[in-house]
Amino acid sequence: MMSDEHLLLKDAAGGDASALEALMSRYGSRVYRLAHGITRNSADAEEIVQDVFLQMVRKGGAFEGRAALGSWIYRVTTNVALNKRRGKRREVETSLEECLPAWEADGHRSGPRAFLVADWSGRPDAELLSGEARRILEEAIDRLPEHYRAVLILKDVEELTNEDVAASIGDSVSAVKTRLHRARMALRELLTRRLGPQT
Amino acid sequence: MMTCRDVNGLLVDYVDGALPPEVAAAVERHLASCEPCRAYLATYRKTRALGAQAARVEIPDEMRTRLRQFLLERAG
Ligand SMILES: [Zn+2]
């Protein structure tokens, strides 16, 4: 049986402008967000979006009976974006270890008390998403490895389940959870170093 | 008794509400008596929300226009 999406794909592959429009409305921003989240570059993201939609339209007939179109699209987007990044991976993506919490042998977090109890979470989003704080956030996101950013986008922006994230990037649920946690911890650490103890 | 490190290792599932009730209760007992972990959880949640908001972009209109053109030239 053909789903609504399979019909859309078939029509889009045949050059039906309204089917193309519907596909772009449904998936355009999702593909762009993921591509941009991985590459952090709008020109690269645009090439990826074109590539992914072209694959969708060209291979449209091949979807019948296969996995959900959404997962397929995320998977293709992730692959294309990671390939594009290969070779231009920057040196600033240093080890994430330096941004993860350090632990004492007894299971307490290491560090000065003022840093450990620093809680800047009451600051309004509008303030944290503009000016200097926004710049700090964007720099912190830039420092994450791209496959960590892929997981963050799929889970925290697209709000997929861990299982759907795993299916979308072709990895295990436990790998997804580990990456997600490490990505959030690294961002939290970098933000806290800049926003934390002085407040 | 859970250590701070144990609690940290459960945060992904805890913020998803995906822990078994007895494990979630043990996390909450730890949080009730541990200020660093409370601060960590609050800033961890806030970080998740900020990261999501910063990345929640739409495809720009002019890019959508170019994409439409690109596909119409190649489809069919
Ligand atoms: Zn603790």
Side-chain angles (χ1 to χ4, degrees):
Chain A
M1 199 174 69
M2 272 193 139
S3 71
D4 160 50
E5 287 188 321
H6 294 140
L7 285 173
L8 256 188
L9 276 175
K10 265 216 153 91
D11 291 346
D16 178 329
S18 69
L20 271 180
E21 206 60 48
L23 268 188
M24 291 198 308
S25 302
R26 199 172 295 183
Y27 292 107
S29 286
R30 291 194 238 176
V31 172
Y32 176 74
R33 270 194 293 273
L34 181 56
H36 188 269
I38 292 172
T39 61
R40 306 284 288 156
N41 174 300
S42 134
D44 285 348
E46 177 161 15
E47 287 181 25
I48 294 161
V49 169
Q50 291 185 345
D51 190 344
V52 170
F53 272 85
L54 193 57
Q55 290 197 45
M56 227 188 286
V57 168
R58 291 211 167 134
K59 299 177 184 170
F63 281 105
E64 290 167 64
R66 294 214 1 223
L69 181 59
S71 288
W72 184 85
I73 290 171
Y74 286 136
R75 193 159 182 162
V76 171
T77 305
T78 305
N79 286 339
V80 173
L82 291 177
N83 274 329
K84 196 164 204 53
R85 288 277 298 165
R86 200 157 290 146
K88 50 170 127 174
R89 195 160 295 165
R90 290 161 309 154
E91 295 304 315
V92 293
E93 279 174 6
T94 46
S95 158
L96 216 57
E97 301 301 323
E98 193 260 325
C99 308
L100 299 179
W103 301 99
E104 305 289 347
D106 66 1
H108 283 97
R109 194 149 45 98
S110 312
R113 176 88 186 164
F115 184 77
L116 297 182
V117 299
D119 182 359
W120 45 268
S121 67
R123 291 216 214 165
D125 287 0
E127 180 195 319
L128 293 170
L129 288 168
S130 62
E132 175 69 0
R134 177 61 178 257
R135 202 181 55 74
I136 292 167
L137 174 63
E138 297 289 346
E139 277 179 16
I141 295 171
D142 284 339
R143 285 184 66 168
L144 296 174
E146 53 266 68
H147 55 286
Y148 282 60
R149 290 200 293 263
V151 170
L152 268 190
I153 299 281
L154 291 172
K155 175 74 177 182
D156 290 345
V157 181
E158 305 302 335
E159 300 182 344
L160 301 190
T161 62
N162 296 330
E163 288 71 19
D164 285 344
V165 176
S168 296
I169 62 172
D171 218 328
S172 69
V173 169
S174 72
V176 164
K177 284 160 72 168
T178 301
R179 269 187 224 164
L180 182 64
H181 189 41
R182 289 164 64 94
R184 290 174 181 164
M185 285 195 295
L187 290 186
R188 194 216 74 95
E189 193 75 15
L190 291 166
L191 290 174
T192 304
R193 284 179 196 170
R194 302 294 294 276
L195 305 171
Q198 69 271 35
T199 59
Chain B
M1 182 67 182
M2 279 184 183
T3 66
C4 299
R5 190 170 192 170
D6 295 332
V7 169
N8 182 279
L10 295 168
L11 285 185
V12 166
D13 285 334
Y14 182 72
V15 301
D16 269 356
L19 289 176
E22 65 280 9
V23 182
V27 168
E28 274 150 21
R29 278 196 301 278
H30 180 101
L31 289 169
S33 65
C34 183
E35 189 183 358
C37 282
R38 285 199 300 277
Y40 199 95
L41 175 62
T43 50
Y44 183 91
R45 285 191 200 276
K46 186 77 167 186
T47 297
R48 177 181 62 159
L50 291 173
Q53 286 188 68
R56 200 166 281 138
V57 292
E58 298 292 316
I59 186 169
D61 284 341
E62 65 279 10
M63 203 180 280
R64 183 192 283 263
T65 303
R66 289 193 294 268
L67 175 63
R68 181 182 301 115
Q69 198 55 41
F70 174 87
L71 292 171
L72 285 173
E73 283 163 9
R74 285 162 183 80

